[in-house]
Amino acid sequence: MYRGILLLLIFGSIIVSYADSAVQTDWSGASGVFGPVNEWENNYYLCSEIATSSQLVLNFMFMDHTVGSDFEDAWCVYSEDIDGDGDMDVLGAAKGDDEIAWWENIDGSGISWTEHTVYQGLYEGLCVVYSEDINADGFMDILGIGGNHITWWENSDTGSGIYWVEHTVDEYYISPKDVYSEDIDGDGDMDILACGSDLDNHITWWENINGSGLSWTEHTVHQGSYDGACSIYSEDIDGDGDMDVLGAEIWDMYAGNIRWFENEDGSGTIWSIHTVYSEAAIGEWTVYSEDIDGDGDMDVLASIKIYSLTDDIAWWENTDGAGTIWTEHIIDSDFNAAQCVYSDDVDGDGDMDILGASYHNGISWWENNDGSGASWIKHEVDPDFKWARSVYSEDIDGDGNMDILGASSWWEEIVWWENTGYSPDGSLESSILDTENDTDWDYLEWNSQTPSGTSVSFQVRASDDHTSMGAWSDTLSSPCTLEGILNDGDRYLQYRTILETSSADLTPSLNDVTISWDILGIEDPAEPVPSETELLPIAPNPSCGLPIIRFGLPETASVELFVFDLSGRLVSEIHGDEYSPGFHDILLGELTPGIYFCRMISGDFAAVQRFVIIK
């Protein structure tokens, strides 16, 4: 009777009349909510290896590896191929030890490390480390700040990373907070940027005069009047081909700014100021730039720790591409004591994700769910990595996946987490729902995406005592009636969803779940009977997966239904079933995205309704 690749599921020939139902479409709230609750809202009870947000996906698995320990007050982490052997090494700055070090990735696997000290001594409070080929000799050098010094260390002796020659860029730069390197004047060599936090609140760049890194000319990008320049970065914000400067400033007791400074003529001598964001509070901010929404222009992202007010990970959309109009998007408003932000394609799907480090929440990353930056799924990498000061991403073990690095001043460690892909399975248990009535259970329905080799399934249980819910049902692999699965009359309900994959590169996703029931002891009111035969609009339309065909009959009649795709191919049909007078609903199984037509024939009556299936 059935043709094509789709199965038409027909749940009886009566109206699917829901006296009541419970729907969950969001799991971004609190875990540990056992219940009973009257609505699920966005909370749940237990979760294992599932990332929770406005949809459910499998979590990424990360295996931690210690790079360096006893690194007192570890403050900053970075990664670069320091010794030129083709694999990625790790750099760190320890504020407590006044030390900059790098760890050699011995065999490229990230399992065995040898520590090399670059500098340890008089520069009090070394807190930032960065790497660039400053003198253009083909070897990666190291930059750092400490005391009042802006310094770079030359990777000498054929670039082995064993011997370092110190070069001072500026020894009187008051309270330096951040350092970076970029070709600001467009002459082909690498210049140096820094910001300082004192009464002059300055952002500065030093011109690498002959490309050797031995002679420098200082240029002011910005000099203000309040304490607090704390973070800098360089990117072509307005898309004119030269490098601009991005900065974060905290105005003590007054306000904070994220601003960018336009390199007016490309030479780095004339700068104009543009505000991205301003907030009247004090805190600690870091800034970074990346094309978050994939529209070809550079956006801005930041971690914002505003004392007693908010702890945000946010990004600002470069709305006009020129850097003059910005739209704020909050990714996470409860990343407690946010310290650092970075961006990379962690899941390898071609769009840019966001990583963050927090004093109290450790290391997390947020998956850019659809590539537009509008929807995010939070993945916790290591919530117990306390006092995380810095986060970075690089393929440490050379397997093609982006791994994550962090520095913790509490644990005095530099750690990297190996990205092993999606967990093979995970589950989530809902809070216990109180229906407040004796129930006659109807249907379990859900919308999901299940790439080949993945699955979404459910178990349910019900009881008249919420303290003793009993055993879970058998696993349910597709939406179905709950008749015979749950005992009618039970008041309390709980579901468990199970996500599975056979590939570390793929995850299923769950968008929503609905459970419906009638109330026992209350008869349904008489249903209306149409005056003529009619085929009603398909609902919902468009649908994410489970559309309902609804029709009405004035008297008992035989009905034929046919479902065609846009090419005219018949994908499902039902012949000659007889239906009683009234309205009837028929639930279709999941259809692949596309445009479809449903044709109904009953005696002399014929009608067609068009509907759309979307992802």
Side-chain angles (χ1 to χ4, degrees):
M1 178 179 293
Y2 296 94
R3 301 182 191 173
I5 61 172
L6 303 175
L7 177 63
L8 183 63
L9 300 177
I10 304 173
F11 295 116
S13 59
I14 60 173
I15 298 172
V16 183
S17 176
Y18 300 161
D20 211 343
S21 64
V23 181
Q24 187 152 19
T25 62
D26 187 0
W27 297 265
S28 62
S31 62
V33 180
F34 182 72
V37 298
N38 298 119
E39 295 180 0
W40 283 315
E41 297 180 332
N42 61 357
N43 303 318
Y44 56 94
Y45 176 44
L46 292 176
C47 181
S48 174
E49 299 304 338
I50 283 183
T52 56
S53 68
S54 58
Q55 65 176 187
L56 299 182
V57 298
L58 287 168
N59 215 343
F60 263 64
M61 300 287 286
F62 288 92
M63 183 183 304
D64 67 290
H65 304 275
T66 299
V67 177
S69 57
D70 298 322
F71 199 53
E72 186 179 348
D73 205 2
W75 204 274
C76 185
V77 66
Y78 192 73
S79 181
E80 185 53 79
D81 182 8
I82 297 297
D83 53 6
D85 63 355
D87 54 49
M88 301 307 294
D89 307 304
V90 173
L91 302 88
K95 195 172 184 179
D97 281 338
D98 302 325
E99 180 181 3
I100 287 179
W102 75 279
W103 289 265
E104 181 182 355
N105 192 348
I106 297 299
D107 62 0
S109 69
I111 304 302
S112 179
W113 301 91
T114 297
E115 182 177 357
H116 302 275
T117 298
V118 177
Y119 175 87
Q120 186 172 18
L122 300 176
Y123 297 162
E124 181 180 354
L126 282 165
C127 58
V128 178
V129 65
Y130 186 70
S131 182
E132 185 54 78
D133 182 7
I134 298 297
N135 57 355
D137 63 355
F139 308 134
M140 299 307 297
D141 307 307
I142 291 176
L143 295 86
I145 58 173
N148 293 328
H149 287 73
I150 309 295
T151 306
W152 74 280
W153 289 268
E154 179 183 354
N155 189 352
S156 60
D157 188 34
T158 67
S160 65
I162 305 301
Y163 301 100
W164 299 90
V165 178
E166 180 180 335
H167 301 280
T168 299
V169 179
D170 193 324
E171 59 183 334
Y172 302 108
Y173 197 73
I174 300 174
S175 301
K177 296 298 183 184
D178 200 5
V179 69
Y180 189 68
S181 181
E182 185 54 79
D183 182 9
I184 298 297
D185 53 5
D187 64 354
D189 55 47
M190 300 308 295
D191 307 305
I192 291 177
L193 277 160
C195 66
S197 176
D198 68 349
L199 293 179
D200 288 329
N201 189 29
H202 42 286
I203 296 176
T204 307
W205 75 279
W206 290 265
E207 181 182 354
N208 191 347
I209 296 300
N210 59 10
S212 68
L214 302 179
S215 179
W216 301 91
T217 298
E218 181 177 356
H219 301 274
T220 298
V221 177
H222 170 70
Q223 189 165 348
S225 57
Y226 294 97
D227 184 10
C230 56
S231 179
I232 54 165
Y233 191 69
S234 182
E235 186 53 80
D236 181 8
I237 298 295
D238 53 3
D240 64 354
D242 54 49
M243 301 306 295
D244 306 304
V245 173
L246 181 66
E249 305 162 281
I250 303 302
W251 296 9
D252 188 13
M253 308 256 339
Y254 292 94
N257 277 326
I258 295 175
R259 299 193 279 191
W260 73 278
F261 304 87
E262 182 180 354
N263 192 346
E264 291 280 6
D265 61 359
S267 69
T269 57
I270 304 173
W271 300 90
S272 58
I273 303 175
H274 304 273
T275 297
V276 177
Y277 175 76
S278 182
E279 176 66 40
I282 60 174
E284 298 176 10
W285 299 0
T286 60
V287 291
Y288 192 72
S289 182
E290 185 53 78
D291 182 8
I292 298 298
D293 53 5
D295 64 354
D297 55 49
M298 301 307 296
D299 307 303
V300 172
L301 52 151
S303 62
I304 307 174
K305 176 188 174 186
I306 301 178
Y307 301 129
S308 302
L309 291 179
T310 185
D311 297 274
D312 291 346
I313 299 292
W315 74 281
W316 289 264
E317 179 184 353
N318 191 346
T319 306
D320 62 355
T324 60
I325 302 173
W326 298 92
T327 303
E328 182 182 15
H329 303 272
I330 301 296
I331 299 167
D332 191 327
S333 61
D334 192 28
F335 196 53
N336 195 3
Q339 289 295 300
C340 183
V341 68
Y342 186 67
S343 181
D344 207 338
D345 183 8
V346 176
D347 54 4
D349 64 354
D351 54 48
M352 302 307 295
D353 308 304
I354 291 178
L355 304 91
S358 157
Y359 276 4
H360 303 309
N361 295 134
I363 303 292
S364 295
W365 72 280
W366 293 263
E367 179 182 350
N368 193 345
N369 195 26
D370 61 0
S372 72
S375 174
W376 298 90
I377 299 173
K378 183 177 181 179
H379 300 263
E380 292 186 334
V381 178
D382 190 341
D384 296 323
F385 195 65
K386 302 302 183 185
W387 289 79
R389 297 279 190 173
S390 178
V391 66
Y392 193 70
S393 179
E394 186 52 80
D395 182 9
I396 297 297
D397 53 4
D399 65 353
N401 297 328
M402 298 309 297
D403 307 305
I404 294 176
L405 300 98
S408 166
S409 59
W410 176 270
W411 297 112
E412 299 184 347
E413 286 184 336
I414 302 290
V415 173
W416 76 280
W417 291 268
E418 181 182 355
N419 182 351
T420 60
Y422 287 108
S423 171
D425 55 65
S427 64
L428 178 141
E429 294 182 15
S430 73
S431 305
I432 294 174
L433 183 75
D434 183 0
T435 68
E436 300 183 311
N437 290 284
D438 294 335
T439 54
D440 180 8
W441 300 107
D442 279 338
Y443 293 100
L444 166 66
E445 303 172 42
W446 69 86
N447 287 308
S448 61
Q449 287 78 44
T450 52
S452 178
T454 73
S455 66
V456 173
S457 57
F458 276 80
Q459 293 175 320
V460 291
R461 59 184 180 181
S463 173
D464 58 5
D465 178 3
H466 70 269
T467 66
S468 178
M469 291 297 294
W472 291 101
S473 71
D474 291 338
T475 301
L476 309 171
S477 58
S478 61
C480 63
T481 178
L482 294 174
E483 187 70 33
I485 297 174
L486 298 179
N487 292 325
D488 290 339
D490 286 343
R491 171 174 175 170
Y492 300 98
L493 167 74
Q494 189 178 25
Y495 73 80
R496 173 194 285 163
T497 184
I498 303 164
L499 278 60
E500 297 179 293
T501 182
S502 59
S503 170
D505 298 325
L506 295 173
T507 179
S509 59
L510 176 67
N511 300 323
D512 57 72
V513 56
T514 301
I515 295 179
S516 57
W517 62 89
D518 294 317
I519 300 173
L520 286 177
I522 301 178
E523 296 184 2
D524 289 338
E527 295 291 345
V529 176
S531 59
E532 59 184 6
T533 303
E534 55 184 325
L535 175 62
L536 300 172
I538 310 298
N541 188 17
S543 168
C544 290
L546 294 173
I548 295 174
I549 298 174
R550 192 175 191 219
F551 58 88
L553 299 172
E555 58 188 20
T556 300
S558 177
V559 172
E560 295 180 294
L561 294 169
F562 306 89
V563 177
F564 301 89
D565 64 18
L566 189 59
S567 70
R569 182 173 62 94
L570 179 65
V571 295
S572 293
E573 62 181 302
I574 179 171
H575 282 297
D577 278 12
E578 194 168 85
Y579 295 86
S580 60
F583 291 96
H584 304 271
D585 286 2
I586 293 180
L587 182 67
L588 290 174
E590 284 198 37
L591 305 176
T592 57
I595 299 173
Y596 295 88
F597 299 89
C598 176
R599 178 177 174 81
M600 171 183 167
I601 298 175
S602 180
D604 295 332
F605 173 84
V608 175
Q609 287 285 354
R610 176 181 178 272
F611 64 100
V612 178
I613 301 296
I614 60 176
K615 291 184 179 180

